[in-house]
Amino acid sequence: MSQLEKIYGVHAVEALLRHHPRRVKQIWLSEGRSEPRLQALLQLAGEHRVAVGAAERRELDAWVEGVHQGVVADVSPSQVWGEAMLEELLDRHEGAPLLLVLDGVTDPHNLGACLRTADAAGALAVIIPKDKAATLTPVVRKVACGAAETMPLVAVTNLARSLEKLQQRGLWIVGTAGEAEKEIYQQDLTGPLVLVMGAEGKGMRRLTREHCDHLVKLPMAGSVSSLNVSVATGVCLFEALRQRKPK
């Protein structure tokens, strides 16, 4: 049992049952939960022969930190992808790939929100450094609303070297920085693209910035000088999506 981790929330558990059913070992519902939104989850559990048990709500509260919506699952730990898997993903992909790099984002809520946005914007993968960054946790999965099960999260040992390799493959690296001259809306985002977002507060590290082909900023009209990283990521990814849509 100690080898398992607990995933919680209706969307996160349902997404796991859809995409990686073999990882789900047991589902716990708080007693008395039977509303319609659980029907799809229960049907999937039945199809994949996953046991569903009842537990008191206070038991579920003790198991996880966060809003579990009366649904908790025991699952085998998730896999963060390695660099070799990213190469394979790019080899298989047709068309111009869109990758998101988070340079040292440490808040699991921000990582979860970025995974969800990357999924919605059609990104191929999200890349993070192995050290000093948030990684896949139950909180990240809950915030990602299922996107953590479909969006590859790739952890790399040396981010600068990984960006170099992506450049050699013909991808353009566009980094965000408050002091950049050019706004995101003036930048061509239509080709093979790596979008780099800096960490909360500190922004991109010097080495990461030096590997960018272009630096862009988000225009700010209010008195606050920067946006939350997950909000800024959403703005940038959806500008890329807008430009990439067939005319």
Side-chain angles (χ1 to χ4, degrees), residues 67-232:
V67 184
H68 51 65
Q69 302 170 305
V71 182
V72 175
D74 292 316
V75 307
S76 57
S78 53
Q79 300 303 307
V80 176
W81 292 38
E83 286 172 72
M85 294 291 275
L86 177 63
E87 295 283 328
E88 199 178 307
L89 203 59
L90 286 164
D91 289 341
R92 285 205 313 259
H93 184 72
E94 290 175 12
L98 170 61
L99 298 173
L100 172 66
V101 169
L102 301 174
D103 186 18
V105 167
T106 53
D107 184 329
H109 291 90
N110 281 337
L111 176 57
C114 288
L115 283 169
R116 188 176 181 182
T117 307
D119 183 67
L124 187 61
V126 176
I127 301 169
I128 57 171
K130 264 201 181 110
D131 299 325
K132 298 194 178 100
T135 187
L136 281 185
T137 64
V139 172
V140 171
R141 290 177 182 293
K142 174 69 171 62
V143 176
C145 274
E149 316 322 325
T150 54
M151 175 57 51
L153 182 65
V154 183
V156 299
T157 314
N158 184 323
L159 186 56
R161 198 168 60 225
S162 297
L163 291 175
E164 263 174 36
K165 282 186 190 165
L166 290 168
Q167 281 171 317
Q168 286 159 8
R169 287 191 72 119
L171 281 85
W172 292 89
I173 318 285
V174 175
T176 50
E179 71 283 0
E181 298 290 309
K182 194 191 275 191
E183 291 185 1
I184 181 89
Y185 307 114
Q186 300 165 316
Q187 178 63 45
D188 179 1
L189 304 170
T190 55
L193 180 70
V194 181
L195 181 65
V196 186
M197 307 299 297
E200 304 96 344
K202 299 189 294 292
M204 284 187 295
R205 289 173 296 174
R206 184 183 58 79
L207 256 180
T208 308
R209 178 188 304 249
E210 286 171 7
H211 281 83
C212 293
D213 297 301
H214 303 280
L215 290 179
V216 297
K217 66 179 176 185
L218 289 172
M220 292 288 161
S223 57
V224 177
S225 64
S226 66
L227 289 174
N228 165 285
V229 65
S230 67
V231 175

